[in-house]
Short mmCIF file of all heavy atoms in Angstrom, two decimals:
data_model
loop_
_atom_site.label_atom_id
_atom_site.label_comp_id
_atom_site.label_asym_id
_atom_site.label_seq_id
_atom_site.Cartn_x
_atom_site.Cartn_y
_atom_site.Cartn_z
N MET A 1297 0.86 -1.18 -0.01
CA MET A 1297 -0.01 0.00 -0.01
C MET A 1297 0.89 1.22 -0.01
O MET A 1297 1.71 1.47 0.89
CB MET A 1297 -0.90 -0.05 1.24
CG MET A 1297 -2.01 0.96 1.16
SD MET A 1297 -3.16 0.73 2.52
CE MET A 1297 -4.17 2.17 2.32
N THR A 1298 0.77 2.00 -1.03
CA THR A 1298 1.62 3.19 -1.11
C THR A 1298 0.99 4.34 -0.35
O THR A 1298 -0.09 4.81 -0.66
CB THR A 1298 1.79 3.59 -2.59
OG1 THR A 1298 0.51 3.69 -3.17
CG2 THR A 1298 2.61 2.59 -3.34
N SER A 1299 1.70 4.72 0.67
CA SER A 1299 1.20 5.84 1.48
C SER A 1299 1.66 7.15 0.91
O SER A 1299 1.05 8.18 1.22
CB SER A 1299 1.68 5.71 2.92
OG SER A 1299 3.08 5.66 2.95
N GLU A 1300 2.71 7.12 0.14
CA GLU A 1300 3.23 8.36 -0.41
C GLU A 1300 2.89 8.50 -1.87
O GLU A 1300 3.40 7.79 -2.71
CB GLU A 1300 4.75 8.37 -0.21
CG GLU A 1300 5.47 9.45 -0.97
CD GLU A 1300 5.16 10.86 -0.43
OE1 GLU A 1300 5.36 11.07 0.74
OE2 GLU A 1300 4.70 11.69 -1.21
N LYS A 1301 1.98 9.34 -2.13
CA LYS A 1301 1.72 9.71 -3.53
C LYS A 1301 1.47 11.19 -3.57
O LYS A 1301 0.81 11.74 -2.67
CB LYS A 1301 0.45 8.93 -4.03
CG LYS A 1301 0.33 9.09 -5.52
CD LYS A 1301 -0.80 8.22 -6.08
CE LYS A 1301 -0.90 8.35 -7.58
NZ LYS A 1301 -1.98 7.56 -8.15
N ARG A 1302 2.01 11.79 -4.54
CA ARG A 1302 1.93 13.24 -4.60
C ARG A 1302 0.46 13.67 -4.64
O ARG A 1302 -0.18 13.57 -5.65
CB ARG A 1302 2.70 13.72 -5.81
CG ARG A 1302 2.84 15.28 -5.85
CD ARG A 1302 3.70 15.69 -6.99
NE ARG A 1302 5.06 15.22 -6.84
CZ ARG A 1302 6.03 15.49 -7.70
NH1 ARG A 1302 5.77 16.22 -8.73
NH2 ARG A 1302 7.26 15.06 -7.50
N SER A 1303 0.04 14.14 -3.53
CA SER A 1303 -1.38 14.50 -3.41
C SER A 1303 -1.65 15.97 -3.63
O SER A 1303 -2.74 16.44 -3.48
CB SER A 1303 -1.92 14.08 -2.07
OG SER A 1303 -1.19 14.72 -1.07
N SER A 1304 -0.59 16.68 -3.99
CA SER A 1304 -0.82 18.09 -4.23
C SER A 1304 -1.64 18.23 -5.50
O SER A 1304 -1.22 17.88 -6.59
CB SER A 1304 0.52 18.79 -4.40
OG SER A 1304 1.22 18.28 -5.52
N THR A 1305 -2.83 18.64 -5.35
CA THR A 1305 -3.71 18.80 -6.48
C THR A 1305 -3.26 19.92 -7.36
O THR A 1305 -3.54 21.09 -7.09
CB THR A 1305 -5.18 19.02 -6.06
OG1 THR A 1305 -5.17 20.07 -5.09
CG2 THR A 1305 -5.72 17.78 -5.45
N GLU A 1306 -2.55 19.58 -8.39
CA GLU A 1306 -2.10 20.57 -9.31
C GLU A 1306 -3.24 21.07 -10.12
O GLU A 1306 -4.08 20.34 -10.61
CB GLU A 1306 -1.00 19.97 -10.23
CG GLU A 1306 -0.38 20.99 -11.14
CD GLU A 1306 0.77 20.37 -11.93
OE1 GLU A 1306 0.82 19.17 -12.01
OE2 GLU A 1306 1.56 21.14 -12.45
N GLU A 1307 -3.28 22.35 -10.30
CA GLU A 1307 -4.34 22.92 -11.11
C GLU A 1307 -4.15 22.58 -12.59
O GLU A 1307 -3.02 22.54 -13.08
CB GLU A 1307 -4.36 24.45 -10.92
CG GLU A 1307 -4.79 24.87 -9.55
CD GLU A 1307 -5.04 26.36 -9.50
OE1 GLU A 1307 -5.94 26.82 -10.21
OE2 GLU A 1307 -4.31 27.05 -8.80
N VAL A 1308 -5.23 22.32 -13.20
CA VAL A 1308 -5.14 21.93 -14.63
C VAL A 1308 -6.13 22.80 -15.42
O VAL A 1308 -7.05 23.39 -14.91
CB VAL A 1308 -5.52 20.45 -14.84
CG1 VAL A 1308 -4.47 19.55 -14.18
CG2 VAL A 1308 -6.92 20.18 -14.27
N VAL A 1309 -5.86 22.83 -16.71
CA VAL A 1309 -6.71 23.57 -17.62
C VAL A 1309 -7.48 22.59 -18.50
O VAL A 1309 -6.87 21.71 -19.08
CB VAL A 1309 -5.88 24.55 -18.48
CG1 VAL A 1309 -6.74 25.22 -19.54
CG2 VAL A 1309 -5.17 25.55 -17.61
N ASP A 1310 -8.74 22.77 -18.57
CA ASP A 1310 -9.54 21.90 -19.39
C ASP A 1310 -9.40 22.32 -20.84
O ASP A 1310 -9.73 23.42 -21.23
CB ASP A 1310 -11.02 22.07 -18.97
CG ASP A 1310 -11.92 21.05 -19.64
OD1 ASP A 1310 -11.49 20.40 -20.59
OD2 ASP A 1310 -13.05 20.88 -19.17
N MET A 1311 -8.92 21.42 -21.68
CA MET A 1311 -8.69 21.74 -23.08
C MET A 1311 -9.93 21.54 -23.94
O MET A 1311 -9.93 21.77 -25.13
CB MET A 1311 -7.56 20.88 -23.65
CG MET A 1311 -6.22 21.10 -22.91
SD MET A 1311 -5.75 22.81 -22.89
CE MET A 1311 -5.33 23.08 -24.59
N GLU A 1312 -11.02 21.05 -23.28
CA GLU A 1312 -12.27 20.84 -23.99
C GLU A 1312 -12.09 19.90 -25.18
O GLU A 1312 -12.64 20.11 -26.24
CB GLU A 1312 -12.87 22.20 -24.41
CG GLU A 1312 -13.16 23.08 -23.25
CD GLU A 1312 -13.82 24.40 -23.67
OE1 GLU A 1312 -13.96 24.60 -24.90
OE2 GLU A 1312 -14.21 25.16 -22.81
N LEU A 1313 -11.26 18.92 -24.96
CA LEU A 1313 -11.01 17.95 -25.97
C LEU A 1313 -11.02 16.55 -25.33
O LEU A 1313 -10.83 16.42 -24.10
CB LEU A 1313 -9.58 18.14 -26.60
CG LEU A 1313 -9.47 19.39 -27.46
CD1 LEU A 1313 -7.97 19.59 -27.78
CD2 LEU A 1313 -10.27 19.29 -28.74
N HIS A 1314 -11.26 15.55 -26.14
CA HIS A 1314 -11.25 14.18 -25.64
C HIS A 1314 -10.28 13.37 -26.40
O HIS A 1314 -10.06 13.53 -27.60
CB HIS A 1314 -12.65 13.56 -25.77
CG HIS A 1314 -13.65 14.19 -24.84
ND1 HIS A 1314 -14.35 15.30 -25.16
CD2 HIS A 1314 -14.02 13.82 -23.59
CE1 HIS A 1314 -15.16 15.60 -24.14
NE2 HIS A 1314 -14.98 14.74 -23.18
N CYS A 1315 -9.66 12.44 -25.71
CA CYS A 1315 -8.68 11.55 -26.29
C CYS A 1315 -9.39 10.70 -27.36
O CYS A 1315 -10.48 10.19 -27.14
CB CYS A 1315 -8.07 10.64 -25.23
SG CYS A 1315 -7.00 9.38 -25.88
N VAL A 1316 -8.77 10.57 -28.49
CA VAL A 1316 -9.37 9.80 -29.57
C VAL A 1316 -9.35 8.31 -29.25
O VAL A 1316 -10.05 7.52 -29.86
CB VAL A 1316 -8.64 10.02 -30.89
CG1 VAL A 1316 -8.77 11.47 -31.35
CG2 VAL A 1316 -7.19 9.64 -30.80
N ARG A 1317 -8.53 7.95 -28.31
CA ARG A 1317 -8.32 6.53 -28.02
C ARG A 1317 -9.21 6.07 -26.87
O ARG A 1317 -9.90 5.10 -26.98
CB ARG A 1317 -6.85 6.34 -27.69
CG ARG A 1317 -6.43 4.89 -27.57
CD ARG A 1317 -4.98 4.93 -27.19
NE ARG A 1317 -4.37 3.66 -27.21
CZ ARG A 1317 -3.11 3.47 -26.85
NH1 ARG A 1317 -2.37 4.54 -26.50
NH2 ARG A 1317 -2.55 2.30 -26.90
N CYS A 1318 -9.12 6.83 -25.76
CA CYS A 1318 -9.85 6.32 -24.53
C CYS A 1318 -10.96 7.31 -24.17
O CYS A 1318 -11.69 7.06 -23.22
CB CYS A 1318 -8.85 6.20 -23.40
SG CYS A 1318 -8.21 7.74 -22.77
N GLN A 1319 -11.12 8.36 -24.94
CA GLN A 1319 -12.22 9.33 -24.74
C GLN A 1319 -12.08 10.07 -23.43
O GLN A 1319 -13.02 10.73 -22.98
CB GLN A 1319 -13.56 8.63 -24.76
CG GLN A 1319 -13.85 7.95 -26.13
CD GLN A 1319 -13.78 8.89 -27.28
OE1 GLN A 1319 -14.44 9.94 -27.25
NE2 GLN A 1319 -13.02 8.56 -28.28
N ALA A 1320 -10.93 10.02 -22.79
CA ALA A 1320 -10.73 10.78 -21.58
C ALA A 1320 -10.66 12.25 -21.91
O ALA A 1320 -10.15 12.67 -22.95
CB ALA A 1320 -9.46 10.32 -20.90
N ARG A 1321 -11.15 13.05 -20.98
CA ARG A 1321 -11.05 14.49 -21.12
C ARG A 1321 -9.61 14.89 -21.00
O ARG A 1321 -8.88 14.36 -20.11
CB ARG A 1321 -11.89 15.17 -20.04
CG ARG A 1321 -12.05 16.64 -20.22
CD ARG A 1321 -13.28 16.97 -21.04
NE ARG A 1321 -13.61 18.37 -20.96
CZ ARG A 1321 -14.68 18.90 -21.54
NH1 ARG A 1321 -15.52 18.14 -22.19
NH2 ARG A 1321 -14.93 20.19 -21.42
N LEU A 1322 -9.15 15.80 -21.82
CA LEU A 1322 -7.78 16.21 -21.79
C LEU A 1322 -7.60 17.51 -20.98
O LEU A 1322 -8.25 18.50 -21.21
CB LEU A 1322 -7.30 16.46 -23.22
CG LEU A 1322 -7.27 15.19 -24.09
CD1 LEU A 1322 -6.93 15.56 -25.51
CD2 LEU A 1322 -6.30 14.17 -23.53
N TYR A 1323 -6.71 17.36 -20.01
CA TYR A 1323 -6.36 18.54 -19.17
C TYR A 1323 -4.87 18.76 -19.29
O TYR A 1323 -4.12 17.81 -19.45
CB TYR A 1323 -6.74 18.27 -17.73
CG TYR A 1323 -8.22 18.06 -17.51
CD1 TYR A 1323 -8.79 16.78 -17.52
CD2 TYR A 1323 -9.00 19.14 -17.25
CE1 TYR A 1323 -10.10 16.62 -17.29
CE2 TYR A 1323 -10.38 19.00 -17.04
CZ TYR A 1323 -10.91 17.73 -17.05
OH TYR A 1323 -12.28 17.54 -16.84
N VAL A 1324 -4.52 20.02 -19.17
CA VAL A 1324 -3.09 20.36 -19.16
C VAL A 1324 -2.76 20.97 -17.81
O VAL A 1324 -3.42 21.93 -17.37
CB VAL A 1324 -2.78 21.35 -20.27
CG1 VAL A 1324 -1.32 21.76 -20.23
CG2 VAL A 1324 -3.11 20.73 -21.63
N PRO A 1325 -1.73 20.49 -17.14
CA PRO A 1325 -1.31 21.10 -15.92
C PRO A 1325 -0.94 22.54 -16.13
O PRO A 1325 -0.34 22.88 -17.17
CB PRO A 1325 -0.07 20.25 -15.50
CG PRO A 1325 -0.26 18.97 -16.22
CD PRO A 1325 -0.95 19.30 -17.50
N LEU A 1326 -1.25 23.36 -15.18
CA LEU A 1326 -0.95 24.80 -15.31
C LEU A 1326 0.54 25.04 -15.60
O LEU A 1326 0.89 25.93 -16.34
CB LEU A 1326 -1.34 25.54 -14.03
CG LEU A 1326 -2.72 26.13 -14.00
CD1 LEU A 1326 -2.91 26.96 -12.72
CD2 LEU A 1326 -2.93 27.02 -15.21
N SER A 1327 1.35 24.17 -15.11
CA SER A 1327 2.80 24.31 -15.28
C SER A 1327 3.20 24.09 -16.74
O SER A 1327 4.27 24.49 -17.15
CB SER A 1327 3.59 23.35 -14.39
OG SER A 1327 3.19 22.03 -14.66
N GLN A 1328 2.33 23.44 -17.52
CA GLN A 1328 2.69 23.19 -18.89
C GLN A 1328 1.87 24.00 -19.89
O GLN A 1328 2.08 23.95 -21.08
CB GLN A 1328 2.44 21.69 -19.18
CG GLN A 1328 3.39 20.81 -18.43
CD GLN A 1328 3.10 19.31 -18.65
OE1 GLN A 1328 2.55 18.99 -19.71
NE2 GLN A 1328 3.51 18.49 -17.74
N VAL A 1329 0.89 24.71 -19.36
CA VAL A 1329 0.02 25.47 -20.25
C VAL A 1329 0.80 26.49 -21.06
O VAL A 1329 0.55 26.66 -22.25
CB VAL A 1329 -1.09 26.19 -19.45
CG1 VAL A 1329 -1.75 27.27 -20.27
CG2 VAL A 1329 -2.12 25.15 -19.00
N SER A 1330 1.72 27.17 -20.44
CA SER A 1330 2.49 28.19 -21.16
C SER A 1330 3.25 27.58 -22.33
O SER A 1330 3.34 28.16 -23.39
CB SER A 1330 3.42 28.91 -20.20
OG SER A 1330 4.34 28.00 -19.61
N ALA A 1331 3.77 26.39 -22.09
CA ALA A 1331 4.52 25.72 -23.16
C ALA A 1331 3.62 25.32 -24.31
O ALA A 1331 3.95 25.45 -25.49
CB ALA A 1331 5.25 24.51 -22.57
N VAL A 1332 2.45 24.83 -23.93
CA VAL A 1332 1.45 24.42 -24.94
C VAL A 1332 1.01 25.61 -25.72
O VAL A 1332 0.95 25.57 -26.98
CB VAL A 1332 0.24 23.74 -24.27
CG1 VAL A 1332 -0.87 23.52 -25.28
CG2 VAL A 1332 0.69 22.40 -23.69
N LEU A 1333 0.71 26.71 -25.04
CA LEU A 1333 0.23 27.90 -25.74
C LEU A 1333 1.33 28.51 -26.59
O LEU A 1333 1.05 28.97 -27.69
CB LEU A 1333 -0.26 28.93 -24.71
CG LEU A 1333 -1.50 28.54 -23.98
CD1 LEU A 1333 -1.93 29.64 -23.01
CD2 LEU A 1333 -2.66 28.22 -24.94
N ALA A 1334 2.55 28.41 -26.13
CA ALA A 1334 3.68 28.96 -26.96
C ALA A 1334 3.82 28.13 -28.24
O ALA A 1334 4.06 28.69 -29.25
CB ALA A 1334 4.95 28.87 -26.11
N SER A 1335 3.62 26.85 -28.10
CA SER A 1335 3.69 25.98 -29.30
C SER A 1335 2.58 26.35 -30.23
O SER A 1335 2.75 26.42 -31.47
CB SER A 1335 3.62 24.55 -28.88
OG SER A 1335 3.70 23.70 -30.03
N LEU A 1336 1.38 26.58 -29.70
CA LEU A 1336 0.26 26.92 -30.54
C LEU A 1336 0.49 28.24 -31.21
O LEU A 1336 0.14 28.44 -32.39
CB LEU A 1336 -1.01 27.04 -29.67
CG LEU A 1336 -1.73 25.71 -29.39
CD1 LEU A 1336 -2.86 25.94 -28.42
CD2 LEU A 1336 -2.25 25.05 -30.68
N GLU A 1337 1.07 29.17 -30.48
CA GLU A 1337 1.36 30.50 -31.08
C GLU A 1337 2.35 30.38 -32.22
O GLU A 1337 2.18 31.02 -33.24
CB GLU A 1337 1.95 31.43 -30.02
CG GLU A 1337 0.90 31.88 -28.99
CD GLU A 1337 -0.03 32.95 -29.58
OE1 GLU A 1337 0.42 33.70 -30.48
OE2 GLU A 1337 -1.17 33.02 -29.14
N ARG A 1338 3.30 29.57 -32.05
CA ARG A 1338 4.40 29.50 -33.02
C ARG A 1338 4.03 28.64 -34.24
O ARG A 1338 4.34 28.99 -35.38
CB ARG A 1338 5.68 28.92 -32.38
CG ARG A 1338 6.32 29.89 -31.42
CD ARG A 1338 7.59 29.31 -30.92
NE ARG A 1338 8.22 30.18 -29.87
CZ ARG A 1338 9.34 29.89 -29.31
NH1 ARG A 1338 9.99 28.76 -29.57
NH2 ARG A 1338 9.84 30.69 -28.43
N THR A 1339 3.47 27.48 -33.93
CA THR A 1339 3.29 26.51 -35.00
C THR A 1339 1.82 26.26 -35.33
O THR A 1339 1.51 25.66 -36.34
CB THR A 1339 3.92 25.18 -34.61
OG1 THR A 1339 3.21 24.64 -33.52
CG2 THR A 1339 5.38 25.38 -34.23
N GLY A 1340 0.92 26.75 -34.46
CA GLY A 1340 -0.48 26.50 -34.66
C GLY A 1340 -0.94 25.15 -34.15
O GLY A 1340 -2.15 24.85 -34.20
N VAL A 1341 0.00 24.34 -33.71
CA VAL A 1341 -0.38 23.05 -33.16
C VAL A 1341 0.39 22.76 -31.90
O VAL A 1341 1.41 23.40 -31.64
CB VAL A 1341 -0.11 21.87 -34.19
CG1 VAL A 1341 -0.98 22.02 -35.40
CG2 VAL A 1341 1.34 21.84 -34.53
N ALA A 1342 -0.11 21.87 -31.10
CA ALA A 1342 0.59 21.44 -29.89
C ALA A 1342 0.23 20.02 -29.63
O ALA A 1342 -0.78 19.52 -30.16
CB ALA A 1342 0.19 22.33 -28.72
N ILE A 1343 1.07 19.38 -28.87
CA ILE A 1343 0.82 17.94 -28.63
C ILE A 1343 0.54 17.76 -27.15
O ILE A 1343 1.27 18.23 -26.29
CB ILE A 1343 2.08 17.12 -29.02
CG1 ILE A 1343 2.30 17.31 -30.55
CG2 ILE A 1343 1.90 15.67 -28.60
CD1 ILE A 1343 2.50 16.09 -31.31
N LEU A 1344 -0.52 17.03 -26.88
CA LEU A 1344 -0.85 16.67 -25.50
C LEU A 1344 -0.77 15.15 -25.37
O LEU A 1344 -1.11 14.43 -26.31
CB LEU A 1344 -2.27 17.10 -25.16
CG LEU A 1344 -2.59 18.60 -25.23
CD1 LEU A 1344 -4.06 18.80 -24.85
CD2 LEU A 1344 -1.68 19.38 -24.33
N ILE A 1345 -0.26 14.75 -24.26
CA ILE A 1345 -0.19 13.28 -24.06
C ILE A 1345 -1.29 12.91 -23.06
O ILE A 1345 -1.28 13.37 -21.95
CB ILE A 1345 1.19 12.88 -23.52
CG1 ILE A 1345 2.30 13.41 -24.42
CG2 ILE A 1345 1.24 11.37 -23.37
CD1 ILE A 1345 2.26 12.83 -25.80
N CYS A 1346 -2.15 12.08 -23.50
CA CYS A 1346 -3.19 11.59 -22.61
C CYS A 1346 -2.65 10.66 -21.57
O CYS A 1346 -1.55 10.14 -21.67
CB CYS A 1346 -4.23 10.84 -23.48
SG CYS A 1346 -5.60 10.14 -22.52
N VAL A 1347 -3.43 10.42 -20.54
CA VAL A 1347 -2.98 9.52 -19.48
C VAL A 1347 -2.82 8.10 -20.02
O VAL A 1347 -2.07 7.29 -19.46
CB VAL A 1347 -4.05 9.48 -18.31
CG1 VAL A 1347 -4.01 10.80 -17.59
CG2 VAL A 1347 -5.43 9.18 -18.85
N CYS A 1348 -3.48 7.79 -21.13
CA CYS A 1348 -3.33 6.48 -21.71
C CYS A 1348 -2.09 6.37 -22.59
O CYS A 1348 -1.77 5.30 -23.07
CB CYS A 1348 -4.58 6.11 -22.51
SG CYS A 1348 -4.71 6.97 -24.08
N GLY A 1349 -1.42 7.50 -22.80
CA GLY A 1349 -0.23 7.51 -23.58
C GLY A 1349 -0.42 7.95 -25.00
O GLY A 1349 0.53 8.11 -25.75
N GLN A 1350 -1.66 8.15 -25.38
CA GLN A 1350 -1.97 8.57 -26.74
C GLN A 1350 -1.62 10.06 -26.92
O GLN A 1350 -2.06 10.90 -26.12
CB GLN A 1350 -3.45 8.34 -27.04
CG GLN A 1350 -3.92 8.86 -28.36
CD GLN A 1350 -3.36 8.04 -29.50
OE1 GLN A 1350 -3.27 6.82 -29.45
NE2 GLN A 1350 -2.98 8.71 -30.57
N ALA A 1351 -0.85 10.34 -27.93
CA ALA A 1351 -0.50 11.77 -28.21
C ALA A 1351 -1.65 12.39 -28.99
O ALA A 1351 -2.14 11.80 -29.95
CB ALA A 1351 0.79 11.80 -29.03
N GLN A 1352 -2.04 13.53 -28.53
CA GLN A 1352 -3.12 14.25 -29.17
C GLN A 1352 -2.58 15.51 -29.81
O GLN A 1352 -1.91 16.30 -29.15
CB GLN A 1352 -4.17 14.64 -28.15
CG GLN A 1352 -4.63 13.54 -27.25
CD GLN A 1352 -5.48 12.56 -28.00
OE1 GLN A 1352 -6.33 12.95 -28.80
NE2 GLN A 1352 -5.32 11.31 -27.78
N LEU A 1353 -2.89 15.69 -31.08
CA LEU A 1353 -2.51 16.91 -31.76
C LEU A 1353 -3.63 17.89 -31.63
O LEU A 1353 -4.75 17.60 -32.03
CB LEU A 1353 -2.20 16.59 -33.22
CG LEU A 1353 -1.49 17.71 -33.99
CD1 LEU A 1353 -0.09 17.94 -33.46
CD2 LEU A 1353 -1.44 17.34 -35.47
N ILE A 1354 -3.37 19.03 -31.03
CA ILE A 1354 -4.39 20.04 -30.95
C ILE A 1354 -4.00 21.25 -31.80
O ILE A 1354 -2.80 21.52 -32.03
CB ILE A 1354 -4.66 20.48 -29.51
CG1 ILE A 1354 -3.40 21.14 -28.91
CG2 ILE A 1354 -5.08 19.32 -28.65
CD1 ILE A 1354 -3.62 21.74 -27.56
N ARG A 1355 -4.98 21.93 -32.31
CA ARG A 1355 -4.73 23.04 -33.21
C ARG A 1355 -5.31 24.28 -32.65
O ARG A 1355 -6.36 24.30 -32.02
CB ARG A 1355 -5.34 22.78 -34.59
CG ARG A 1355 -4.73 21.59 -35.28
CD ARG A 1355 -5.44 21.30 -36.58
NE ARG A 1355 -4.94 20.07 -37.19
CZ ARG A 1355 -3.82 20.06 -37.96
NH1 ARG A 1355 -3.19 21.18 -38.23
NH2 ARG A 1355 -3.39 18.95 -38.49
N SER A 1356 -4.68 25.36 -32.98
CA SER A 1356 -5.18 26.66 -32.58
C SER A 1356 -6.47 26.94 -33.31
O SER A 1356 -6.60 26.70 -34.50
CB SER A 1356 -4.12 27.74 -32.89
OG SER A 1356 -4.70 29.00 -32.68
N ARG A 1357 -7.43 27.46 -32.55
CA ARG A 1357 -8.72 27.76 -33.17
C ARG A 1357 -8.67 28.92 -34.10
O ARG A 1357 -9.46 29.09 -35.01
CB ARG A 1357 -9.74 28.08 -32.05
CG ARG A 1357 -10.18 26.79 -31.33
CD ARG A 1357 -11.02 27.14 -30.16
NE ARG A 1357 -11.37 25.96 -29.38
CZ ARG A 1357 -11.86 26.00 -28.17
NH1 ARG A 1357 -12.07 27.17 -27.58
NH2 ARG A 1357 -12.13 24.91 -27.52
N ARG A 1358 -7.64 29.76 -33.88
CA ARG A 1358 -7.58 30.93 -34.77
C ARG A 1358 -6.41 30.79 -35.73
O ARG A 1358 -5.79 31.77 -36.10
CB ARG A 1358 -7.41 32.21 -33.94
CG ARG A 1358 -6.27 32.16 -32.98
CD ARG A 1358 -6.40 33.29 -31.95
NE ARG A 1358 -5.31 33.21 -30.96
CZ ARG A 1358 -4.20 33.95 -31.05
NH1 ARG A 1358 -4.06 34.78 -32.02
NH2 ARG A 1358 -3.28 33.89 -30.12
N GLN A 1359 -6.16 29.60 -36.12
CA GLN A 1359 -5.11 29.40 -37.08
C GLN A 1359 -5.53 29.91 -38.44
O GLN A 1359 -6.69 29.88 -38.78
CB GLN A 1359 -4.73 27.91 -37.17
CG GLN A 1359 -5.81 27.08 -37.90
CD GLN A 1359 -5.36 25.72 -38.24
OE1 GLN A 1359 -4.18 25.45 -38.32
NE2 GLN A 1359 -6.28 24.81 -38.36
N GLN A 1360 -4.56 30.33 -39.18
CA GLN A 1360 -4.84 30.79 -40.55
C GLN A 1360 -4.49 29.70 -41.50
O GLN A 1360 -3.41 29.13 -41.48
CB GLN A 1360 -3.99 32.04 -40.84
CG GLN A 1360 -4.34 33.20 -39.97
CD GLN A 1360 -3.38 34.32 -40.17
OE1 GLN A 1360 -2.27 34.15 -40.59
NE2 GLN A 1360 -3.83 35.56 -39.83
N ARG A 1361 -5.42 29.38 -42.36
CA ARG A 1361 -5.17 28.37 -43.31
C ARG A 1361 -4.68 29.00 -44.59
O ARG A 1361 -5.28 29.88 -45.15
CB ARG A 1361 -6.46 27.58 -43.58
CG ARG A 1361 -7.01 26.96 -42.32
CD ARG A 1361 -8.03 25.93 -42.67
NE ARG A 1361 -7.42 24.85 -43.45
CZ ARG A 1361 -7.47 23.55 -43.08
NH1 ARG A 1361 -8.09 23.21 -42.03
NH2 ARG A 1361 -6.93 22.65 -43.85
N HIS A 1362 -3.55 28.52 -45.04
CA HIS A 1362 -2.96 29.08 -46.23
C HIS A 1362 -3.25 28.24 -47.45
O HIS A 1362 -3.39 28.72 -48.55
CB HIS A 1362 -1.45 29.24 -46.05
CG HIS A 1362 -1.09 30.21 -45.00
ND1 HIS A 1362 -1.28 31.58 -45.20
CD2 HIS A 1362 -0.53 30.08 -43.84
CE1 HIS A 1362 -0.88 32.22 -44.14
NE2 HIS A 1362 -0.45 31.35 -43.28
N ASP A 1363 -3.25 26.98 -47.29
CA ASP A 1363 -3.38 26.12 -48.45
C ASP A 1363 -4.83 25.83 -48.76
O ASP A 1363 -5.62 25.50 -48.05
CB ASP A 1363 -2.61 24.82 -48.26
CG ASP A 1363 -2.91 24.16 -46.93
OD1 ASP A 1363 -3.26 24.91 -45.98
OD2 ASP A 1363 -2.77 22.95 -46.81
ZN1 ZN B 2037 -6.39 8.53 -23.83
#
């Protein structure tokens, strides 16, 4: 029985997306939100890793489509 588990409830941001694999709601820890948003700003996409290990590609809603 593991008595020690990091119980600090880290704040997360609801990405309003679901994993394509396990349908779990995707949340991003606040500590990583800035990195995700920076990636979105620069490239228009960012990658989230679901708890199941599935990588999710998310896209900026205000991306400009060129092609
Ligand atoms: Zn998943």
Side-chain angles (χ1 to χ4, degrees):
M1297 194 172 171
T1298 51
S1299 58
E1300 168 67 57
K1301 190 174 183 181
R1302 188 175 296 181
S1303 58
S1304 63
T1305 50
E1306 186 175 16
E1307 291 190 65
V1308 295
V1309 175
D1310 188 347
M1311 299 306 290
E1312 299 182 356
L1313 292 169
H1314 290 86
C1315 175
V1316 296
R1317 189 182 188 183
C1318 70
Q1319 301 301 310
R1321 189 91 166 182
L1322 296 173
Y1323 297 92
V1324 177
L1326 267 186
S1327 58
Q1328 293 178 24
V1329 164
S1330 59
V1332 170
L1333 291 182
S1335 179
L1336 277 174
E1337 287 285 330
R1338 289 184 184 180
T1339 66
V1341 295
I1343 299 229
L1344 300 180
I1345 307 297
C1346 178
V1347 290
C1348 74
Q1350 174 70 40
Q1352 310 288 319
L1353 193 66
I1354 62 173
R1355 295 174 185 277
S1356 172
R1357 285 173 184 164
R1358 54 194 177 98
Q1359 72 168 337
Q1360 297 173 334
R1361 302 196 61 125
H1362 294 291
D1363 48 335

